[in-house]
Structures are given as C-alpha cells and as structure tokens.
Amino acid sequence: MGIELSPREFAGLLDEALAERIWGSPPRVDALLSLARTEETCVVAEQALARATAKQRVEVLARSRRIPLHTRLRHLLHARWLAEDLEAIRRDAPDTNLEVHAAVATLEQPGSWDVLARLAHEEVSEEQLDRLRNGLPTEAFVRWARLRPELYQQAAEALRLPLAELRAHFHVDDLRERLSHAAMHQQLFTYLPGNIAVKRRETFPFAARLLAEWTEERPLLLSLLRHPDVAEHPRRALLAALLLVDRPAAIQWAAEALGAAELPALVLQLLQEAALAPRPEERPFFLEVLQGADEVAACFALEALLALGGVGSEARERVEALTRSTHPGLRVRAVAVQVREGRREELPELARLAREAPEPWLRAEALRWLCEVDREACQPCVEQALTDEAAWGDAPLAAAEALHALAKRGTPEDLSLLMNASVAVLETFSNASRYSSYTYFQMRYLVDESLEFHLARDEGREHGELPLPRAREFAFDILEHARAPGVKPPRTFFPRALFVPWSRHEWELGDT
C-alpha cells in the first residue's frame, strides 16, 4: 500500500499467507511476492518459498503472467517446478489444470513446451482445450494441436482453430453449416436458482468470432442477426464479435436501424458499448442518434459526444431540449454537456443531484458526470458517496463511481481518501442482512483495484488503463428501466448485465 516493509515484517506477512488459515482474510502469497523488488526482499521471498508446499509455489508461478514477479523469483519457481514440484504434484495430488496454467504462464521458458506436449498425448477435456486456446498465442495453439491428429480433429470439431485452419480442414459448405448451427442451436448459458445466468463453455463464442472474421460470408452473419429463430443472447454475441472484428460494419448495421419506429434492444446495447470508446469518424453517427426520439439511445449518444470533445454548435438546441426530458438519466447527461460547453450556472444542479437524488442509480449517474466536468465541485459529493448505503438491486453504484474518480484523479489527498475508503466502504457493505456476499466482495475488489492503480502510477510502475466500474455494465438495464420511474426491479433483474459479450476478456477471445 505504498508503505515500506522491513524484511522482518515482509517475512511475517509471507508466513501468514503461507499458513492458509480458513478464518480471517490473510494476504495472498502472489500479491505479497509482487512487492519483492530489491535484493534484500528477494532473499526473504526465496526463504519463504523454500518453506512453501509444491502446490503453493506452482500456484504463484501459474499466476505470474497476471501478477508480475521479480525475474529472479520467476526463474527460481520455474526451475523448481520442472526439477521437483511438477512430479510431486502429479504423484501426490494430480492437478492438470494447474499444470496447464503454469506451462502457459511460462511458455517462453525452456521446458514449459515439453509439459504441454506431454499433455497433447493424453485425453484432453473440452475445458482443457478451452484453457489452452484462450491462454496460448494462436500459432502456439495450432502447433500444439498438430502434435496428435486426433487432437487436431477435436479442436476443429469444437471450432477452436483459427479461420484459416478451419477453411483448409472443412469444405466451405460444411464449415458454413457448422457455424450456422452453432449460432442457432447452442445454449449459451443456463440459469441457476435465483435467476443467475451462468455461461456454458461451448462452441458459440468462437463461432461468433469466426463468422465475424469471415468477410466473404458477411451476409450469413447479417441474416442470423435478423433471423427470428436466433435468440437474444446469441444475436448479441454475434454483434459483439462483429464490433470487435469489423467495427465500421457493426456501426453501419446500427445506423440502418435508426429509422425504426422503436429501436431494438440490440441496437441500444451496441450503442452502450460503442459509447465507451467512440472514434472521431463516428461523430456523425452519434449526432444522428441524438436527434432521434429514443431517450436511452440519446443517453449513449451524449456519452460518446462528450468523450469526443462535446456536441458542438449543431446540436446545442437539441441538448437544451433534452434538459427537459422526462427521463432523469438523460436530463443529467444533458446538463453535464451544458456544463462542459461553458454553462457553469448548471453546475449546482448537477451537484445537487449527486447528493440528493432520490434513487441511488441517479446519484451515481450525476456523480459520474460531475466528476467528468468539474473535479473541484465533485469533491464533497465523492466523499459522501463513499458511505452511501443505498444500492440499486445489489449494485453499489455511487460508491463505485466515487472510488473510480479518486483513482483517476490521483492527488495525494485522493490517496488519503482511498485509504479511508478501504475501511468505510467495506463497513458500509458488510451488512449481510442488506447485501449479498457478492456486493461485499466486489466493493473490496474495487477498493484494492483503485489503490493498486493509484500507487502503481505514483511509483512509476507499469500499469494499464484504469478499469471502469463494473456497475457501468448495468447501464442499459438501469437507463431502460428508468423509462418508467418509480418501478423498482428485483435484485435478480440482471441476467442480461451478467452476460456481457462485448469484450475480448469477457469472451476470452484472444487474438486469432
């Protein structure tokens, strides 16, 4: 957390993590080892790893691609894995999945490929095939599948090979039929008690990506998007894959639907995703959406146009009209646009909504845009939101937006607030009678994620983009539901939001 630990303190924390108590919340070994960056701390880490079990060491190695380790520790763990830990685990408690994860995480190291090659000559489950397809570079996966003809055939039948390989393996009509069948007949998810959607690991995500890549068969994909027998979620996945592979084609598909009397939900969902990272050449498209009658579509158009620098003079009258919309979320976004365009007199209203709006989702919405347009004015609202006990369904929206704003700004004062939030937010959402254990878990994750990003940036360490609050995945559901104010959804209203196939990470569709 940005605090220097003495070698003795570091060793004590590692011992506590290795003890793996079933009570309390001990730190994770891999997270602690990522703090070993000096000669002295590496020595302490090596001593702790010598006391660890074989499984603990290999688990750290398997996560080393996601949680980077000092090169010295990574080489030590890899050498010990090949020398003794691999055979020890195979002998005492075989764990093929752990073996695969470790080999994939260290693929560039000598010996890791031999472990995967040995697996290729054993029976490979569908789960293991997926794990390797998602973890290995495409060329490496194809090379691995070719180690045994039966394995290559299994990968082809499961549509796990890249398009060029499948086109060479199957007749074009056969491949077209297989992809169409996957799109129309695969069940993408099942429901657990409580209406919780769980994805199935089957062929469709790969089929969607393949159909999107196969430009010669683009009419097939477009026909499936319109086909009455293709269910909502398969159609959504097809469009998501098209957006990933050929974004202009997906935007054009949505543009052609704008003239409909009522926009399909699929178009609104695409607008939600496209608005997260709009491109300058899409500005005319979003301006056209803004002129339409659909309020939810206008919300996403304003989001995109704000990211692109503002609405400009050509849409100011339209924005002025939208500040009087009956949709509360649209009013908030329209006011935020006016503030960005220089109408500072509208700022108090945005701050008032962030503090006092009757619904938690609307307070979060106002806070989000207040933080975007005025960092100073949002400070009191951010501090209040960190202890806002209200949630929409089971999603702590306002607190999530506050944490994101603090991590994004990155001042020393924000670090202090983040440290305080690590206690205050968790205390707020630990009430088991009001919130599920998942709510507590996601808030703890948000706090840790925000702190890690803030500290990595301040310390000059490598860091990616600041992740968006997971609660924003509910944007379509929230804004759609707000068309009928006063009607509150049940806690189990979110199957669509739990099933978000728009990103490579969500579908585990790496580069192909």
Side-chain angles (χ1 to χ4, degrees):
M1 295 302 186
I3 302 171
E4 292 293 333
L5 296 172
S6 69
R8 181 176 180 180
E9 290 169 327
F10 189 40
L13 286 173
L14 285 169
D15 286 340
E16 183 180 350
L18 291 170
E20 292 188 338
R21 301 187 186 93
I22 61 174
W23 48 269
S25 300
R28 279 178 40 171
V29 180
D30 49 4
L32 286 173
L33 290 173
S34 70
L35 301 176
R37 301 171 193 147
T38 65
E39 176 77 19
E40 191 174 30
T41 53
C42 279
V43 169
V44 173
E46 288 173 356
Q47 293 169 348
L49 288 170
R51 299 189 297 273
T53 65
K55 184 176 181 181
Q56 285 175 325
R57 286 191 292 268
V58 178
E59 284 176 341
V60 172
L61 184 64
R63 298 190 188 107
S64 62
R65 190 165 65 171
R66 183 167 49 89
I67 304 178
L69 298 175
H70 193 285
T71 303
R72 172 174 165 176
L73 297 180
R74 199 162 187 261
H75 285 321
L76 179 148
L77 285 167
H78 185 259
R80 186 154 184 177
W81 176 52
L82 294 179
E84 56 184 274
D85 289 345
L86 179 61
E87 292 302 325
I89 291 175
R90 284 176 175 172
R91 180 183 63 250
D92 300 333
D95 189 337
T96 305
N97 291 338
L98 180 59
E99 193 172 308
V100 167
H101 280 305
V104 168
T106 59
L107 186 63
E108 76 287 354
Q109 299 287 336
S112 294
W113 180 259
D114 295 336
V115 174
L116 294 177
R118 173 176 170 177
L119 176 65
H121 291 88
E122 302 172 359
E123 183 177 351
V124 178
S125 68
E126 182 181 336
E127 182 182 6
Q128 291 165 348
L129 192 70
D130 278 351
R131 186 168 286 113
L132 284 159
R133 180 65 180 92
N134 295 324
L136 291 174
T138 300
E139 297 78 6
F141 178 80
V142 173
R143 177 187 167 203
W144 176 77
R146 288 188 180 279
L147 291 173
R148 184 164 58 92
E150 296 82 2
L151 179 60
Y152 187 87
Q153 181 64 26
Q154 180 185 355
E157 294 281 348
L159 301 175
R160 297 303 191 266
L161 296 175
L163 182 61
E165 294 286 329
L166 291 172
R167 292 183 68 174
H169 187 77
F170 294 117
H171 186 276
V172 62
D173 293 335
D174 187 13
L175 181 56
R176 187 186 300 115
E177 177 61 30
R178 288 172 182 272
L179 293 175
S180 297
H181 184 274
M184 295 183 67
H185 300 291
Q186 292 283 340
Q187 293 295 317
L188 295 185
F189 63 97
T190 188
Y191 280 106
L192 298 179
N195 201 33
I196 298 175
V198 178
K199 286 186 299 182
R200 294 181 176 180
R201 288 185 171 273
E202 299 197 23
T203 61
F204 182 75
F206 293 92
R209 180 66 183 264
L210 291 164
L211 277 168
E213 288 181 330
W214 199 356
T215 54
E216 296 89 343
E217 293 294 328
R218 185 58 50 74
L220 173 59
L221 186 150
L222 296 176
S223 68
L224 290 171
L225 284 174
R226 296 187 296 266
H227 201 293
D229 293 336
V230 180
E232 176 191 357
H233 286 104
R235 289 170 62 240
R236 186 176 182 183
L238 281 167
L239 187 56
L242 183 61
L243 188 67
L244 286 173
V245 172
D246 190 349
R247 183 179 174 108
I251 295 295
Q252 179 61 32
W253 178 87
E256 292 172 358
L258 293 180
E262 182 177 342
L263 289 185
L266 193 61
V267 173
L268 298 175
Q269 292 157 9
L270 180 136
L271 288 173
Q272 174 186 346
E273 178 64 20
L276 293 175
R279 298 178 179 179
E281 63 270 19
E282 295 166 358
R283 182 180 176 83
F285 166 70
F286 285 112
L287 284 171
E288 183 181 358
V289 173
L290 187 63
Q291 298 298 334
D294 192 285
E295 297 165 319
V296 174
C299 286
F300 296 128
L302 287 176
E303 179 177 347
L305 292 167
L306 267 171
L308 293 173
V311 297
S313 58
E314 64 265 49
R316 282 177 186 155
E317 289 187 8
R318 176 61 175 161
V319 172
E320 177 69 34
L322 294 179
T323 61
R324 298 184 293 275
S325 168
T326 58
H327 192 294
L330 183 52
R331 290 199 305 273
V332 164
R333 295 186 181 209
V335 169
V337 169
Q338 288 190 321
V339 174
R340 173 67 64 82
E341 298 281 320
R343 295 274 299 275
R344 303 289 297 176
E345 67 272 17
E346 302 292 344
L347 190 60
E349 174 62 12
L350 199 56
R352 185 191 67 79
L353 288 170
R355 293 191 307 269
E356 304 172 10
E359 292 288 341
W361 75 265
L362 191 55
R363 291 197 296 279
E365 180 77 3
L367 179 64
R368 172 187 176 183
W369 297 110
L370 180 62
C371 292
E372 287 288 334
V373 300
D374 194 308
R375 294 186 174 187
E376 293 184 5
C378 74
Q379 186 67 22
C381 301
V382 166
E383 295 182 24
Q384 175 183 318
L386 290 171
T387 53
D388 186 347
E389 297 185 356
W392 193 82
D394 203 29
L397 303 179
E401 289 294 344
L403 289 170
H404 182 266
L406 292 175
K408 185 176 180 179
R409 292 189 316 195
T411 67
E413 293 77 13
D414 294 328
L415 177 58
S416 177
L417 282 171
L418 278 171
M419 295 292 288
N420 293 336
S422 66
V423 176
V425 173
L426 298 184
E427 286 181 351
T428 298
F429 291 98
S430 62
N431 187 338
S433 64
R434 295 190 61 184
Y435 308 107
S436 72
S437 58
Y438 174 72
T439 301
Y440 177 79
F441 168 80
Q442 67 170 326
M443 288 311 302
R444 179 174 177 178
Y445 177 80
L446 277 170
V447 169
D448 291 346
E449 186 178 57
S450 301
L451 277 169
E452 171 59 26
F453 180 86
H454 192 296
L455 292 170
R457 179 183 53 206
D458 284 0
E459 296 169 7
R461 291 186 280 119
E462 182 179 349
H463 60 84
E465 294 291 325
L466 175 63
L468 296 176
R470 294 282 292 176
R472 290 190 193 176
E473 293 179 0
F474 297 100
F476 169 77
D477 296 277
I478 293 171
L479 294 171
E480 180 70 19
H481 203 82
R483 293 183 195 268
V487 181
K488 295 186 178 181
R491 293 165 73 93
T492 55
F493 183 69
F494 307 119
R496 178 168 41 239
L498 289 171
F499 189 87
V500 184
W502 297 104
S503 69
R504 296 176 194 273
H505 172 73
E506 174 69 17
W507 276 112
E508 298 177 336
L509 294 175
D511 293 334
T512 59

